[in-house]
Amino acid sequence: MENPKERIEDILKRNPYLDAKVGLGYDNFLDFTCGRQFYVDKTHFISEWMRSDAKVTLITRPRRFGKTTLFSTVETFFDPKYAKHPEYFEKLRVWKDKKSREMFGKIPVISVSFGSCKGMNYEQSMKNMMFSFFEMYEKHSYLQDSTELSESEKQQFTEAKESFFASRGENDWQAIKRLCYFLYRHHKVLTIILVDEYDTPLLEAYTQGYWDEMIATCRQIFHNAFKQNDYYSRAIITGVARISKNSLFSDLNNLEVDTVTCDAYADCFGFTEQEVMDALKCQNLDKMRDVKDLYDGFIFGKQKDMYNPWSICNCIRQGELISYWTNTSSNKLIGDIIRKHLVGRKADAVDDIEGIEGSLFHLGVEVFRIAVQFQDTHVLQRKVAVRPDFGQIEGIDAVVARLLFGHGLYLEKPARKIAPLDGFEQIALMRFAVFGDDGFRL
């Protein structure tokens, strides 16, 4: 709860960079260090993760909720290349934890993002993936001068990096595993692996029609990186969607999955209400009631009142209370799903689609009841039952579905207009029913 008598000086003792200038479009932790820009301290994630006993952790969160920035924070904290800069963290929460502090700058980190691995076809997407691997290797170019690696190993490292840059990438499915080996030879310490936006190439492959090729490639990459790899200690994977373990992680018995329905790391992605109140006060903005009315409502696990960082930062920076989040990426996937599974009978005609199996997502008996007005058809309005059966993506959490549609989607609340979805002019939520015993999931 907000304490109107609390001084800004006291707030800054627990969150020291809330009064800094708010930038836009930055996601590298180095851009925020030591008060360079507005920064909400989420470094307690590091301590919480270190207390976990999971070797591989998959965390799914909606887009624009700080996943990439937090990954950069983890990399900067652990990797030896930043060991001479404890000032980056000395004022932050992680530094108060002795066990975490003792590990600062002592573990090499491999960090790769698949966020740019998109394309109209498999070949184009793989070229972008090769460049992501090149960037991953380029961060560790010092290995080319290592006195711990043999000349043959240094040559292998250089050849691999050059092949990724040239988009050749022979044995690309071993890219992460091989770099783990080189880093272990140099540092004599098992690495940490960070994979951001792991699901982007797969979601792109589904919408563009090359799913089979991409799922086979990604399965090989993750198998070699996380199963057949003796040179890493732990790993974190993040994305928006949860890909079915049966299709992507079938042979991983060391995987912990933390979705938006789980309590783990619930306050680490997005801003809590207290953090938003503190930020507004430090930025001299008296708008909390209006901000809550427009941007509040997200729940992760048992953590209520979570706010989207993109919306809050834009609101502070521009001073306008408008919807910043809904137009930041495409909703093509959801649009495709709705178009493919329209049923022209009454809203709960679920039996008509019970038999569909084996594509990308699977809802069980979960049903959307939606009134749709089409843009280019004589059919003005009809009720439809939508059961996206995404077979191989085990689920996008219902909270994520709500975010993909926009802030106007609520459970069991009156119909209201929400953001347009590709070819649809208007979508009004009539009811969102979820049945089953494992939470709200798509």
Side-chain angles (χ1 to χ4, degrees):
M1 296 296 292
E2 184 176 13
N3 180 3
K5 296 183 179 180
E6 187 174 28
R7 298 181 307 165
I8 291 178
E9 292 83 357
D10 295 327
I11 294 174
L12 295 176
K13 288 179 181 178
R14 64 173 179 266
N15 220 326
Y17 306 130
L18 294 184
D19 62 342
K21 181 180 179 181
V22 179
L24 189 64
Y26 297 92
D27 55 22
N28 190 319
F29 179 72
L30 296 178
D31 293 323
F32 301 97
T33 56
C34 303
R36 290 184 176 92
Q37 292 190 60
F38 173 86
Y39 176 75
V40 176
D41 184 2
K42 294 292 179 179
T43 58
H44 62 287
F45 168 84
I46 296 171
S47 302
E48 187 173 339
W49 177 64
M50 287 187 65
R51 289 192 292 269
S52 165
D53 58 1
K55 188 173 180 70
V56 182
T57 303
L58 169 62
I59 303 173
T60 59
R61 289 294 186 275
R63 54 188 168 84
R64 300 289 188 177
F65 263 77
K67 299 185 294 295
T68 301
T69 299
L70 193 54
F71 258 31
S72 176
T73 305
V74 173
E75 179 182 6
T76 306
F77 184 82
F78 285 110
D79 200 279
K81 69 168 68 78
Y82 305 107
K84 294 182 180 180
H85 296 283
E87 70 275 9
Y88 291 169
F89 294 94
E90 285 175 339
K91 293 183 179 181
L92 303 178
R93 291 174 65 178
V94 67
W95 209 252
K96 298 176 182 177
D97 180 64
K98 181 180 179 183
K99 183 177 179 181
S100 300
R101 191 169 63 247
E102 289 173 348
M103 300 306 298
F104 171 72
K106 293 184 178 179
I107 307 176
V109 177
I110 291 175
S111 181
V112 61
S113 172
F114 287 166
S116 62
C117 301
K118 304 176 182 180
M120 297 296 294
N121 53 53
Y122 175 74
E123 291 73 21
Q124 187 178 23
S125 184
M126 286 306 299
K127 284 184 178 180
N128 291 327
M129 185 177 289
M130 291 303 99
F131 192 76
S132 294
F133 285 148
F134 165 75
E135 293 178 313
M136 178 181 75
Y137 271 63
E138 181 66 17
K139 289 181 180 180
H140 301 280
S141 289
Y142 59 85
L143 292 175
Q144 293 173 291
D145 300 316
S146 172
T147 58
E148 301 296 330
L149 271 65
S150 67
E151 291 302 317
S152 174
E153 289 168 336
K154 286 188 281 189
Q155 182 178 353
Q156 291 175 36
F157 173 87
T158 301
E159 289 175 352
K161 187 177 74 166
E162 291 175 351
S163 71
F164 294 138
F165 183 76
S167 299
R168 295 193 303 271
E170 297 87 353
N171 299 323
D172 52 78
W173 59 87
Q174 294 187 12
I176 297 174
K177 177 180 178 179
R178 292 170 69 189
L179 185 54
C180 285
Y181 169 78
F182 294 136
L183 288 171
Y184 177 77
R185 291 277 292 122
H186 178 80
H187 293 281
K188 303 298 187 290
V189 177
L190 296 176
T191 63
I192 290 172
I193 302 173
L194 306 176
V195 180
D196 192 18
E197 298 194 57
Y198 85 105
D199 52 340
T200 295
L202 292 165
L203 300 179
E204 187 78 3
Y206 175 72
T207 58
Q208 299 295 342
Y210 52 92
W211 168 263
D212 290 340
E213 299 98 315
M214 185 56 73
I215 189 65
T217 295
C218 289
R219 189 183 294 119
Q220 283 185 309
I221 291 171
F222 291 125
H223 174 82
N224 279 277
F226 304 121
K227 181 69 173 179
Q228 299 294 327
N229 186 357
D230 296 327
Y231 299 101
Y232 82 105
S233 58
R234 299 183 66 187
I236 310 174
I237 308 169
T238 66
V240 172
R242 177 181 174 182
I243 309 298
S244 170
K245 187 172 181 179
N246 292 332
S247 63
L248 186 60
F249 301 114
S250 57
D251 59 352
L252 284 185
N253 54 12
N254 56 359
L255 178 69
E256 175 184 290
V257 180
D258 294 308
T259 69
V260 296
T261 62
C262 300
D263 291 329
Y265 317 115
D267 66 343
C268 297
F269 299 87
F271 296 163
T272 66
E273 187 160 285
Q274 184 64 57
E275 288 166 342
V276 174
M277 289 189 293
D278 290 346
L280 293 177
K281 189 166 188 175
C282 290
Q283 295 288 329
N284 297 312
L285 295 173
D286 185 17
K287 296 183 177 183
M288 187 60 207
R289 179 170 296 181
D290 293 333
V291 166
K292 183 175 179 63
D293 287 343
L294 183 58
Y295 302 124
D296 176 38
F298 306 118
I299 301 173
F300 299 152
K302 296 184 181 69
Q303 179 71 48
K304 298 181 180 180
D305 301 315
M306 294 297 295
Y307 293 73
N308 176 267
W310 180 257
S311 296
I312 298 302
C313 289
N314 272 280
C315 178
I316 294 174
R317 188 171 186 270
Q318 300 187 32
E320 291 186 80
L321 285 157
I322 60 176
S323 180
Y324 296 99
W325 183 88
T326 53
N327 296 319
T328 57
S329 72
S330 170
N331 292 322
K332 186 177 186 300
L333 178 63
I334 299 297
D336 287 349
I337 292 160
I338 292 176
R339 292 186 185 92
K340 288 179 181 178
H341 299 291
L342 294 178
V343 180
R345 293 176 57 191
K346 62 182 180 179
D348 37 353
V350 184
D351 292 340
D352 290 352
I353 43 178
E354 280 292 326
I356 303 173
E357 298 295 340
S359 56
L360 185 58
F361 294 106
H362 181 61
L363 257 134
V365 289
E366 298 163 12
V367 182
F368 277 114
R369 289 166 173 84
I370 303 173
V372 179
Q373 180 177 320
F374 291 89
Q375 186 172 15
D376 300 314
T377 178
H378 65 281
V379 180
L380 294 179
Q381 193 176 62
R382 69 171 69 175
K383 275 189 177 181
V384 297
V386 179
R387 180 193 175 189
D389 77 297
F390 300 124
Q392 313 206 348
I393 291 185
E394 202 168 89
I396 296 178
D397 299 274
V399 175
V400 177
R402 168 184 153 190
L403 295 175
L404 287 169
F405 282 107
H407 289 290
L409 182 57
Y410 289 89
L411 301 180
E412 300 296 341
K413 287 195 175 184
R416 58 181 290 191
K417 293 181 181 179
I418 59 177
L421 181 59
D422 292 343
F424 300 117
E425 279 189 339
Q426 184 185 88
I427 298 176
L429 179 71
M430 305 306 295
R431 186 180 176 192
F432 183 57
V434 180
F435 304 95
D437 59 0
D438 59 349
F440 300 124
R441 286 209 327 220
L442 274 180

